[in-house]
Amino acid sequence: MSLENSLDSLHAKVKQIKFLQYFTAFNRVILAIAFIPSGMTKVLGLRFTLLPLDNPVGFFFESFYQAHGWYRFVGMAQVLAAILLLIPRTATLGAAIFFPIVLNIMLVTWSIDFQGTKYITSLMFLANLYLVCWDYDKFKAILPFSNGEKMPFNLKKSLPLTILGAIGGTAAFGFFMGVSPAFAKMGFVSLVIGFIGGGFFGFLNSLHLQKA
């Protein structure tokens, strides 16, 4: 049995467990409740905290608040994710939107040492990760597992995109060297990385087109 079939079988069995079905619904509601107040605070243009600027947490959130458009956008994304999580038909989309937001929040709270909040955001991230895994059957189409009938490898069909990718990668990294000191310091190594990386992604795309 392939890895994909094993995961499908295990996932199907897990989703039949009644306790986990209730636990999933509980997680969706709790995460929505956690996001709506903080999201609305941003949407309404209110400060998230009144801590002084000499405090790392206060300094960060004041800078975040001053980026008014972005501040409100993050708030709207939080509220949208929360609402989508509460609707069974859109809960999967809500979990997908929620994931990068809560991951970013968790990393921020740990980076600025936001006392007990960093543990709360970590639990929120784990709860969201659980919801993403719960909907594995809906996400698996975009995961790098082979599915369907395997196609025989055709080197001749893969070469054009592989070469094109290598050339494009080299050109891109050459441009990066011209505009970024970090890439310029890498010198020839940067071009090699661009060549190999571009060729690799060109090759992957050629395989995808062959399967299609």
Side-chain angles (χ1 to χ4, degrees), residues 32-208:
I33 290 174
F35 253 21
I36 289 176
S38 62
M40 286 304 300
T41 298
K42 299 180 184 71
V43 171
L44 296 174
L46 304 175
R47 281 183 168 81
F48 191 76
T49 178
L50 296 177
L51 291 171
L53 294 180
D54 58 357
N55 182 294
V57 177
F59 180 81
F60 173 83
F61 280 104
E62 180 60 24
S63 300
F64 184 23
Y65 172 75
Q66 293 300 329
H68 300 295
W70 180 44
Y71 187 74
R72 286 183 168 84
F73 172 78
V74 172
M76 288 187 288
Q78 286 182 277
V79 173
L80 174 63
I83 293 173
L84 292 174
L85 272 178
L86 292 173
I87 303 172
R89 192 174 183 84
T90 60
T92 303
L93 179 59
I97 295 175
F98 204 105
F99 188 83
I101 300 174
V102 76
L103 173 61
N104 186 61
I105 292 173
M106 180 187 71
L107 293 175
V108 166
T109 55
W110 276 93
S111 298
I112 61 178
D113 195 20
F114 200 165
Q115 298 179 0
T117 304
K118 60 186 180 183
Y119 301 110
I120 296 173
T121 57
S122 297
L123 291 174
M124 290 174 64
F125 170 74
L126 290 175
N128 188 213
L129 181 61
Y130 166 83
L131 292 180
V132 170
C133 292
W134 180 261
D135 286 326
Y136 158 77
D137 53 332
K138 299 175 183 177
F139 287 117
K140 71 173 185 176
I142 61 173
L143 296 175
F145 301 138
S146 66
N147 46 46
E149 185 180 350
K150 290 189 175 180
M151 298 288 293
F153 174 68
N154 191 320
L155 177 61
K156 187 176 180 180
K157 290 184 178 180
S158 294
L159 273 177
L161 269 185
T162 302
I163 295 172
L164 185 63
I167 295 172
T170 305
F173 273 68
F175 171 76
F176 295 157
M177 289 175 65
V179 300
S180 170
F183 282 91
K185 284 184 179 179
M186 295 171 64
F188 182 71
V189 175
S190 182
L191 296 178
V192 172
I193 293 174
F195 180 84
I196 295 174
F200 175 71
F201 287 110
F203 175 74
L204 290 182
N205 279 277
S206 71
L207 292 182
H208 178 74

